[in-house]
Amino acid sequence: MLNAQLLVLAHLLLLGSAERIPRLKFTLKDLPRVEFETLEKHTVQFHDERSETLYIGATGTVLLVSFTEFNASHTLIPLSLDDNARESCKSRGPLTQDFCENVITVIERINGSTLIVCGTHAGNPTCWFLRNNGTQLASDNEGHGVTQDGKGISPPSPIQRPITIAVEGNLYSAITSTGQSSGGIQRSYGRIKHMKTEDKWLQNPTFVGSAWIKGKDSSKDEIYFFFSETEDSVGLDGEPYKSRIGRVCKVDEAGSKTALQDSWTTFLKARLICGFPTESRHFNKIEDAFVLLVDDDTKNSVVYGIFSSLWNSTAVCAYSQGDIDRAFKTSKLKGFTGNLAGNQRPGTCTTSNVHKNVLTAIRNHPEIEDPIYPIKRHPLYVMKHSSYTRITADRVKGVSQNFYHVLFLGTGNGKIHKVLHSNGKSFIISELSPFQTEAPISAMTLDSGTGHLFVGTPLETVRLPLANCEGYGNTCKQCVAARDPYCGWDTAKEKCASIPRELNVSDSEILQNVEQLNVSICDGASDVEVFGEQPKELTINSGAYLYLPCPVKSYHAVYTWSYNQKDQFACTIKDGSCPLIFNGEVPMSEGLFKCTASEDGLKEELAAYKVTLNDGNTLEHGVVVFGLAAIFSLM
Ligand SMILES: *[C@@H]1O[C@H](CO)[C@@H](O)[C@H](O)[C@H]1NC(C)=O
Ligand SMILES: *[C@@H]1O[C@H](CO)[C@@H](O)[C@H](O)[C@H]1NC(C)=O
Ligand SMILES: *[C@@H]1O[C@H](CO)[C@@H](O)[C@H](O)[C@H]1NC(C)=O
């Protein structure tokens, strides 16, 4: 027999801890998708907001994919290495498998009509241009593609994840260090001066993300980079990684002949902390980062990061842009004890000359002392058994006219978690499975304007809708309980629908409750959502091995079985069902069995069976296995 209260309590404790499980799970079929002919380990995506086109950089080619509601069609722009170059590359000795290829690593828009595309080109990075609004390879009179040296823009080897960002026609690129090169942050293409970080500023950096942070006026714009560094000597705890945020000013044009002639004069870096220091649980290696920009209120922008620990779990941390800004503007420089002439703050974005003392300070002390702590000083949550690989986020206006942050996290096995981040708390709305084959998610691009997410793995790329409201069910309670800011119960149409962008609240007929599970706003909401159909009738042999299936909807609910409206039995969720298994503790008997899911105030009957024993049956006394299929065939 079940002590239902105890189970509910245990369940609440689980949800109250830092770990999270998705409330709902969906398999999405019939999505527009492209499948790659060969395994593409290093895809890069580019997408213009509100367009239907996605550019995918792959081995020796750029795919231009056009998406419609149900289909994706693509054209190829070949940029493969020619045979001579490939042979001469191979003759240079044993190299990684795709080194002697042209793996496309960079696709960025440089102006209204042109994209720049760069590839590794067998260790000799090279760029091409796509004209006619990015549809056609720019070529000379003889039909050869116009090229440009790609050193400093694309990494020479596809092993390194390229991080680039285009700002007003200039390209900034961050190149991860390898045995041969120290890596760094560069302005690598465009009309204003090209320059880089000094080698000694960064220790074996691995870059994972970047963002353009707009200032009050354009001369205050900053470019952020996210990366991890490793100490050459590993500490006693065996933890070599430190996560970092580095920033430079857009208006930086390098120093003078005497100091930092070809280097940033505004580069500063800070430590990003993610973990539970009091419990000595640290997530030191940043894996991906995304900055959710709030245009009219930069200080309320949020930096989201995924961090891994040595123990194979990942944490999601959120940082306030206001905190980051304050740290860079006020913290001491680590190890710097001197005085600065004229109180010029190192790292200030300015078009006037930077004093030589400030240049010297930055050159020798590019790190600020204050670390950046996450909002509320701890991770949003920790994911134990699956790892996250990619993160992106959207800002969604709910029916209440409040904005909510919704994160999309890609996992190592091809799932997407849709997560609400509101009032410092997180809630995993759902887990989406859009792929045909499990593989780590390697690229994600979100289009808030059209409401789509482009997600890629080494095998396929799909486009999925940010709102998928019908999936929540066809009752008001089911819809409201989803707590999805994109969706609400449309009382006029009686369906779960996406919130129109220009919703007029005053005559809104849409019900939504995002902050917590509260279905009382639904009309005539009784306590229990009863099973809408007649109980299924089963006539069975008492000697049979039998279980009664109960479809699981919410993984946050507690499922219980009742017998003749009274006795209660527990069940265990497995493969999307919480079956009642007859055994010594749950004897098979005639009567009515019902499965009920309880979640806060929401109760829903999900299955009902009327069991009749057929003991006059001549079947051998023994075990007859009723699988799910067998039971359904009886109905
Ligand atoms: C160029 O392409 C983008 C993305 O496909 C599209 O939004 C834009 O309208 C196009 N511009 C022109 C001039 O065709
Ligand atoms: C866009 O950039 C390309 C490459 O730098 C250049 O050739 C072209 O003239 C530019 N177009 C415009 C409209 O600025
Ligand atoms: C919303 O509806 C009200 C009443 O119908 C109307 O007065 C108002 O102008 C509408 N607002 C918008 C933004 O459409």
Side-chain angles (χ1 to χ4, degrees):
M1 284 290 148
L2 160 91
N3 187 334
Q5 277 85 17
L6 203 68
L7 219 147
V8 171
L9 189 68
H11 193 75
L12 288 176
L13 285 174
L14 174 72
L15 290 178
S17 77
E19 281 148 41
R20 296 281 184 281
I21 50 168
R23 181 173 178 271
L24 302 168
K25 294 185 183 178
F26 296 107
T27 301
L28 303 176
K29 295 189 179 126
D30 306 323
L31 292 173
R33 78 179 69 229
V34 220
E35 289 166 58
F36 304 131
E37 277 160 28
T38 52
L39 187 81
E40 293 290 353
K41 279 184 283 182
H42 317 282
T43 52
V44 56
Q45 290 186 351
F46 177 79
H47 172 72
D48 281 310
E49 175 105 17
R50 289 188 178 274
S51 86
E52 301 294 313
T53 309
L54 181 73
Y55 293 81
I56 304 173
T59 306
T61 183
V62 174
L63 286 81
L64 256 81
V65 190
S66 295
F67 285 90
T68 60
E69 197 182 344
F70 299 109
N71 282 302
S73 58
H74 68 267
T75 52
L76 296 176
I77 298 178
L79 289 171
S80 56
L81 204 61
D82 68 43
D83 291 345
N84 289 343
R86 187 174 290 116
E87 286 317 310
S88 100
C89 170
K90 282 185 178 154
S91 69
R92 278 188 277 151
L95 291 156
T96 54
Q97 201 192 349
D98 40 15
F99 188 85
C100 293
E101 294 291 343
N102 184 30
V103 178
I104 303 302
T105 56
V106 176
I107 308 175
E108 293 287 354
R109 179 174 286 286
I110 47 175
N111 61 36
S113 61
T114 307
L115 302 188
I116 188 168
V117 172
C118 309
T120 56
H121 209 253
N124 182 22
T126 305
C127 300
W128 292 263
F129 297 92
L130 300 183
R131 295 244 161 88
N132 282 347
N133 203 13
T135 57
Q136 197 177 30
L137 188 65
S139 50
D140 60 20
N141 295 338
E142 281 147 47
H144 299 300
V146 175
T147 61
Q148 131 117 30
D149 184 6
K151 215 167 277 122
I153 307 178
S154 166
S157 154
I159 297 166
Q160 305 159 44
R161 179 172 164 201
I163 297 297
T164 51
I165 182 167
V167 174
E168 296 167 353
N170 297 291
L171 218 56
Y172 298 75
S173 42
I175 299 201
T176 289
S177 72
T178 58
Q180 289 85 42
S181 79
S182 52
I185 298 167
Q186 325 204 1
R187 183 151 62 217
S188 49
Y189 178 88
R191 284 190 314 276
I192 41 181
K193 188 176 164 74
H194 298 180
M195 52 201 192
K196 58 179 176 48
T197 41
E198 301 265 287
D199 284 352
K200 66 173 181 184
W201 291 350
L202 303 167
Q203 283 186 303
N204 311 313
T206 298
F207 290 94
V208 300
S210 62
W212 174 9
I213 310 290
K214 291 189 181 160
K216 281 211 184 65
D217 66 78
S218 165
S219 71
K220 301 284 182 234
D221 287 5
E222 295 171 69
I223 325 287
Y224 280 5
F225 291 88
F226 301 95
F227 54 102
S228 59
E229 291 184 305
T230 56
E231 305 288 345
D232 286 328
S233 58
V234 175
L236 277 180
D237 53 0
E239 177 63 274
Y241 295 106
K242 281 200 170 91
S243 290
R244 300 285 189 190
I245 175 171
R247 41 77 71 202
V248 294
C249 294
K250 186 183 78 179
V251 293
D252 194 335
E253 300 221 23
S256 58
K257 278 220 169 55
T258 49
L260 302 178
Q261 189 176 2
D262 294 306
S263 299
W264 303 103
T265 61
T266 57
F267 175 79
L268 287 176
K269 68 176 182 181
R271 173 117 190 237
L272 280 176
I273 305 282
C274 182
F276 305 90
T278 52
E279 299 162 38
S280 283
R281 282 168 76 202
H282 305 287
F283 297 84
N284 282 341
K285 187 165 181 249
I286 190 164
E287 301 287 346
D288 196 27
F290 182 83
V291 184
L292 189 57
L293 296 166
V294 180
D295 284 339
D296 44 2
D297 190 4
T298 316
K299 285 206 170 13
N300 276 330
S301 297
V302 179
V303 173
Y304 289 102
I306 306 170
F307 296 79
S308 63
S309 72
L310 282 182
W311 318 112
N312 233 355
S313 53
T314 35
V316 184
C317 274
Y319 304 87
S320 134
Q321 169 58 24
D323 290 351
I324 295 173
D325 200 49
R326 192 172 327 110
F328 279 120
K329 286 210 166 82
T330 60
S331 170
K332 284 187 194 149
L333 301 187
K334 204 169 175 174
F336 179 75
T337 51
N339 285 316
L340 292 171
N343 286 332
Q344 210 172 10
R345 170 77 199 168
T348 305
C349 297
T350 170
T351 45
S352 56
N353 280 343
V354 181
H355 196 280
K356 181 146 178 294
N357 286 355
V358 174
L359 295 186
T360 315
I362 284 230
R363 169 189 236 165
N364 297 322
H365 309 279
E367 182 180 354
I368 62 166
E369 208 166 82
D370 297 354
I372 317 276
Y373 290 99
I375 296 169
K376 300 207 166 172
R377 292 228 160 194
H378 57 71
L380 280 186
Y381 66 96
V382 173
M383 189 48 53
K384 260 208 172 144
H385 302 294
S386 59
S387 61
Y388 285 138
T389 56
R390 292 290 182 272
I391 185 167
T392 186
D394 194 15
R395 207 167 156 259
V396 192
K397 198 180 195 181
V399 171
S400 64
Q401 302 295 289
N402 290 335
F403 282 96
Y404 297 101
H405 289 191
V406 180
L407 318 182
F408 293 87
L409 293 125
T411 72
N413 61 352
K415 315 275 189 229
I416 294 149
H417 286 176
K418 185 184 205 181
V419 179
L420 170 72
H421 177 214
S422 164
N423 285 335
K425 296 202 197 97
S426 62
F427 165 72
I428 308 184
I429 299 169
S430 59
E431 174 178 281
L432 311 173
S433 303
F435 292 107
Q436 290 167 344
T437 314
E438 276 193 8
I441 286 175
S442 53
M444 278 207 298
T445 311
L446 189 141
D447 188 330
S448 197
T450 62
H452 290 113
L453 182 67
F454 301 88
V455 191
T457 73
L459 297 161
E460 47 190 324
T461 296
V462 298
R463 188 185 79 170
L464 48 103
L466 299 176
N468 190 14
C469 308
E470 283 86 353
Y472 294 134
N474 47 23
T475 70
C476 175
K477 281 185 180 180
Q478 289 167 335
C479 181
V480 170
R483 296 177 57 196
D484 184 333
Y486 292 104
C487 302
W489 180 254
D490 187 325
T491 49
K493 295 191 187 126
E494 298 210 310
K495 64 173 202 163
C496 197
S498 54
I499 312 290
R501 219 148 246 287
E502 273 76 43
L503 180 72
N504 190 340
V505 207
S506 52
D507 55 22
S508 155
E509 294 286 322
I510 296 185
L511 304 176
Q512 185 187 58
N513 206 335
V514 176
E515 301 290 350
Q516 69 265 318
L517 196 152
N518 179 359
V519 294
S520 62
I521 52 169
C522 290
D523 241 5
S526 68
D527 281 356
V528 183
E529 187 102 44
V530 292
F531 191 61
E533 299 152 40
Q534 285 298 311
K536 283 157 193 170
E537 300 206 5
L538 296 175
T539 305
I540 51 182
N541 302 308
S542 55
Y545 169 78
L546 180 83
Y547 60 86
L548 302 175
C550 175
V552 167
K553 284 188 185 162
S554 167
Y555 287 79
H556 288 184
V558 173
Y559 291 78
T560 50
W561 283 88
S562 67
Y563 172 57
N564 284 345
Q565 317 281 16
K566 33 182 215 290
D567 293 343
Q568 302 268 306
F569 303 103
C571 59
T572 310
I573 297 178
K574 190 163 181 278
D575 298 331
S577 177
C578 200
L580 179 69
I581 300 171
F582 291 109
N583 54 29
E585 278 165 49
V586 188
M588 189 181 290
S589 358
E590 286 195 327
L592 183 64
F593 291 89
K594 275 187 180 174
C595 172
T596 306
S598 318
E599 187 180 3
D600 293 337
L602 182 67
K603 267 198 172 150
E604 194 176 356
E605 286 176 7
L606 294 167
Y609 301 91
K610 197 169 167 231
V611 173
T612 314
L613 294 180
N614 175 19
D615 274 329
N617 198 297
T618 53
L619 269 178
E620 298 278 301
H621 188 74
V623 177
V624 181
V625 176
F626 279 75
L628 274 169
I631 287 176
F632 284 123
S633 69
L634 284 171
M635 293 164 192

